[in-house]
Amino acid sequence: MIDQLSVFLPNKKGTLSTVAGALSDAGINMHVLVIADTAEYGIVRIVCDTPHAAARALSDAGLRATTTPVYAVRVPNTPGGLTQLLAYCEEKGLNIEYGYCFLLGEEGAIDVLKIDASAEDVLEAGGFEMVEPEEIYRVDEA
Amino acid sequence: MYYQPEIETMPREQLRELQLERMKWSVRHAYDNIAFVKKICNEAGVGPDDLTSLEDIVKFPFMVKQDMRDAYPFGLFAVPMHDVKRIHASSGTTGQATTTGHTTNDLTYWGDCFARGIYMVGGSQDSTIQVSYGYGLFTGGLGAHAGGEAVGCAVIPTSSGNTKRQVQIMKDFGTDILACTPSYALYIADTAIELGYDPAKEFKISGVILGAEPASENMRQEIRDKLGVQYCDVYGLSEVMGPGVAMECEVANGLHFAEDHFYPEIVNPDTLEPVPDGEYGELVITTLTREACPLVRYRTRDVTRIISEPCPCGRTHRKIDRIVGRTDDMMIIRGVNVFPSQIEQVITAFPEIATHYQIVLTREAQLDKIALNVETEPDFPIDEVRKIEDLKRRLGAELKSNLQVQVEINLVEPKTIERSEGKAKRILDLR
């Protein structure tokens, strides 16, 4: 599993910029940034280097930030890559809260999934390869 | 025109004699029939026999809302249930509500008190009165209704809500007098105007009897102008009776206190010592005729002053000024009383929510809105919309069921809610 940086953003001008600024000031590089928006607030999900240090930097900046363990699964960068994974999750009754995809290097796509259950063994039994955090970002201690 | 000329214009000396006679009865009735009253009087070393003049009332101990909560539901009733004909209750969390019983006489006097206000705005048996206060445990609807019936008006019990229909009825039925909260009266007026009417010119309405929440002079004037009416401010509280304890005559300079049924005092809220007439302080009420729930020196928490100068209208009952504030932190939201402590109590039942909170009161489209700013605890998962929405929904539902008003929940970033030493500024009233 990888540690995703999660940030709660009230719907106010300039808050996303505060997030980016605080990470930049802390010298933290982002690899993925996804925003989930609702009418009243947003949630920013980030994969970055040293996620725990990042969460602390954002908390110090007055933001509500935390790290969340999520599954990172390697899928082939070809049509149908994601379909296979989702079909398998459905078959096994794994409920996906949210997810997003990104490319890592040239060859592979990575699907990030939030599943509220212990799914690692189930996914691996289905032949899916879990991506280690070190492959994506610089790891740090909580 | 007076509804009860002999009482409303009674010479002061005669009125004071009547008050003393009734106060002696009332205090004895409370002392003899309510164990709590007897207990606090005994502790204070006073009894009904110590009451030989109206001023002697200051020797007696105060009663407060908490006493009513502690006595929930019927601990302060002075008559057997056989004689109780109606029970009203104030809003409040379970076990915190206060209940007030009414005998047949209590209900009759209540109607009479409110009926005086109907005459003050020029009403009579020929009038049609539309009661747009909520009917129910809240005393507004049935109190105004009783007033209309006492006068012999045609009473339209529309209750609150369905504002377009309120306008339609006001127009079609030829409503003369509207009774509701000030904010709702303004909302009805604005709705009528939106529908293309000019109620001030086109509608028959000539008077409004509005209360249960504060209204600024600007707001009053706006209501007068938009509806083309005389404005009667009505004061009351469910613990003591309901609307009709004091009502504003055409002179529009204070509300005539129903001194034949209630004895008002103004005390300094810090020292609890009486203040001279004209000086602001907390209104304290001793009931004079209430049978089911007599109260001795009940602290209303409402801040006002007594206006003792004779009123040009001819009524001899002294007036109280408009309520200028509270000595506690009670909020009035659309006529419903809400205490921050009630909100706090709900919040503490949610481990996901931090204990710091802020209440923001606004007025949108003439209606009070209450928003609650809260922070989640650091370990609450903020990465899922569903969990956040679920938390907001549960908190909102719990508040609604406890407070009877809809509360908008805003989750805010940590530490945006002010932490202050001592008394935190929990309420931001932008109305």
Side-chain angles (χ1 to χ4, degrees):
Chain A
M1 295 184 88
I2 64 168
D3 283 316
Q4 163 193 283
L5 174 63
S6 309
V7 192
F8 178 85
L9 288 189
N11 192 357
K12 274 194 320 210
K13 217 171 163 181
T15 38
L16 185 58
S17 156
T18 309
V19 174
L23 292 178
S24 155
D25 290 347
I28 293 166
N29 189 33
M30 289 189 275
H31 303 281
V32 184
L33 184 151
V34 187
I35 301 174
D37 64 312
T38 74
E40 289 140 33
Y41 55 88
I43 296 169
V44 187
R45 301 172 184 134
I46 296 168
V47 180
C48 63
D49 287 339
T50 60
H52 296 105
R56 283 193 295 273
L58 293 181
S59 297
D60 290 346
L63 291 154
R64 187 81 170 75
T66 183
T67 56
T68 316
V70 290
Y71 295 98
V73 187
R74 195 185 309 278
V75 292
N77 188 13
T78 52
L82 177 62
T83 314
Q84 239 186 337
L85 174 61
L86 295 182
Y88 181 75
C89 286
E90 193 187 347
E91 184 192 318
K92 294 293 173 191
L94 295 178
N95 186 30
I96 299 170
E97 289 296 336
Y98 58 83
Y100 46 93
C101 313
F102 64 98
L103 292 172
L104 184 68
E106 302 287 312
E107 75 292 352
I110 293 177
D111 291 342
V112 177
L113 300 177
K114 172 69 185 287
I115 299 170
D116 273 347
S118 183
E120 192 148 348
D121 293 348
V122 183
L123 288 169
E124 282 181 339
F128 293 97
E129 187 199 335
M130 308 305 289
V131 183
E132 292 305 316
E134 294 82 359
E135 295 180 58
I136 309 173
Y137 59 85
R138 202 145 58 76
V139 179
D140 68 344
E141 294 296 317
Chain B
M1 281 285 286
Y2 312 110
Y3 171 66
Q4 291 170 309
E6 72 290 354
I7 297 169
E8 293 178 73
T9 63
M10 187 180 280
R12 288 290 315 162
E13 267 321 299
Q14 198 184 332
L15 181 62
R16 284 174 60 83
E17 278 167 32
L18 177 71
Q19 284 183 307
L20 180 59
E21 181 194 319
R22 288 181 168 182
M23 186 187 279
K24 283 179 176 173
W25 170 82
S26 181
V27 169
R28 186 172 297 280
H29 173 55
Y31 182 90
D32 287 348
N33 296 299
I34 305 172
F36 175 78
V37 173
K38 181 173 272 177
K39 179 174 143 286
I40 57 170
C41 285
N42 288 348
E43 281 166 7
V46 286
D49 293 332
D50 295 313
L51 199 66
T52 54
S53 75
L54 288 173
E55 285 67 33
D56 286 337
I57 196 69
V58 302
K59 298 176 186 165
F60 285 77
F62 293 100
M63 293 174 77
V64 294
K65 196 173 177 102
Q66 190 58 44
D67 298 332
M68 308 188 83
R69 294 198 186 105
D70 294 343
Y72 177 88
F74 305 140
L76 295 184
F77 281 31
V79 297
M81 213 36 91
H82 175 78
D83 294 318
V84 175
K85 302 304 163 197
R86 190 171 330 138
I87 302 168
H88 279 280
S90 73
S91 55
T93 48
T94 316
Q96 269 208 323
T98 58
T99 47
T100 307
H102 303 258
T103 64
T104 303
N105 282 339
D106 291 338
L107 292 171
T108 303
Y109 290 147
W110 187 3
D112 286 342
C113 286
F114 196 96
R116 294 174 192 172
I118 294 177
Y119 270 68
M120 287 174 190
V121 293
S124 69
Q125 194 174 339
D126 301 322
S127 305
T128 298
I129 178 168
Q130 180 169 343
V131 180
S132 307
Y133 277 118
Y135 279 65
L137 286 175
F138 171 61
T139 51
L142 285 162
H145 190 102
E149 288 195 334
V151 171
C153 298
V155 185
I156 317 172
T158 48
S159 194
S160 56
N162 203 341
T163 310
K164 281 185 184 170
R165 196 179 61 177
Q166 301 271 4
V167 172
Q168 196 68 41
I169 285 174
M170 184 180 282
K171 171 178 165 283
D172 294 346
F173 295 8
T175 298
D176 296 294
I177 298 163
L178 173 69
C180 59
T181 60
S183 57
Y184 197 50
L186 195 47
Y187 189 54
I188 291 175
D190 285 340
T191 304
I193 292 164
E194 257 171 51
L195 291 170
Y197 300 114
D198 180 355
K201 291 207 179 83
E202 298 169 36
F203 289 9
K204 198 169 164 230
I205 188 164
S206 59
V208 290
I209 301 176
L210 311 179
E213 67 183 19
S216 65
E217 184 50 40
N218 284 347
M219 188 173 177
R220 290 165 205 259
Q221 196 53 47
E222 200 177 338
I223 293 168
R224 288 188 192 104
D225 293 344
K226 283 182 171 167
L227 288 176
V229 288
Q230 182 193 325
Y231 190 116
C232 168
D233 187 357
V234 52
Y235 176 75
L237 60 173
S238 64
E239 301 94 306
V240 164
M241 177 175 82
V245 173
M247 303 190 82
E248 184 183 39
C249 68
E250 63 273 19
V251 176
N253 174 35
L255 293 72
H256 288 282
F257 211 83
E259 286 197 276
D260 52 331
H261 295 295
F262 306 99
Y263 182 78
E265 294 172 75
I266 304 289
V267 301
N268 177 317
D270 297 322
T271 65
L272 299 180
E273 292 297 323
V275 302
D277 282 359
E279 212 166 281
Y280 281 98
E282 180 176 330
L283 175 64
V284 172
I285 297 176
T286 298
T287 64
L288 302 181
T289 58
R290 301 279 300 165
E291 294 176 339
C293 293
L295 290 170
V296 177
R297 302 196 85 198
Y298 181 70
R299 290 184 60 185
T300 65
R301 303 287 179 177
D302 288 318
V303 177
T304 182
R305 64 189 181 112
I306 285 182
I307 300 173
S308 53
E309 290 79 28
C311 185
C313 80
R315 292 177 182 85
T316 51
H317 295 211
R318 287 179 301 166
K319 295 188 284 193
I320 54 166
D321 210 334
R322 288 166 189 164
I323 306 301
V324 295
R326 298 271 308 168
T327 58
D328 60 11
D329 49 8
M330 187 180 87
M331 303 170 283
I332 303 179
I333 321 285
R334 301 192 193 183
V336 178
N337 299 347
V338 176
F339 288 92
S341 57
Q342 290 175 281
I343 293 178
E344 205 163 315
Q345 200 174 14
V346 172
I347 292 175
T348 48
F350 281 79
E352 306 93 325
I353 301 284
T355 49
H356 301 281
Y357 64 90
Q358 186 177 42
I359 296 160
V360 184
L361 302 174
T362 51
R363 191 163 273 162
E364 270 177 34
Q366 316 303 350
L367 287 178
D368 294 334
K369 269 192 63 181
I370 175 165
L372 178 67
N373 292 343
V374 285
E375 300 168 10
T376 53
E377 286 289 353
D379 56 357
F380 180 76
I382 42 140
D383 65 313
E384 287 179 33
V385 174
R386 191 164 63 94
K387 288 203 178 118
I388 294 174
E389 288 301 313
D390 177 63
L391 176 63
K392 285 176 67 171
R393 188 186 49 73
R394 283 187 293 120
L395 181 57
E398 196 58 29
L399 287 167
K400 173 90 209 267
S401 93
N402 278 299
L403 312 178
Q404 322 299 333
V405 289
Q406 191 76 43
V407 180
E408 180 190 311
I409 314 280
N410 297 319
L411 296 182
V412 298
E413 307 118 292
K415 302 191 184 70
T416 46
I417 295 169
E418 185 191 343
R419 271 86 164 154
S420 62
E421 301 85 42
K423 205 174 166 179
K425 176 110 177 89
R426 296 269 187 233
I427 307 168
L428 193 59
D429 196 338
L430 305 173
R431 291 179 293 182

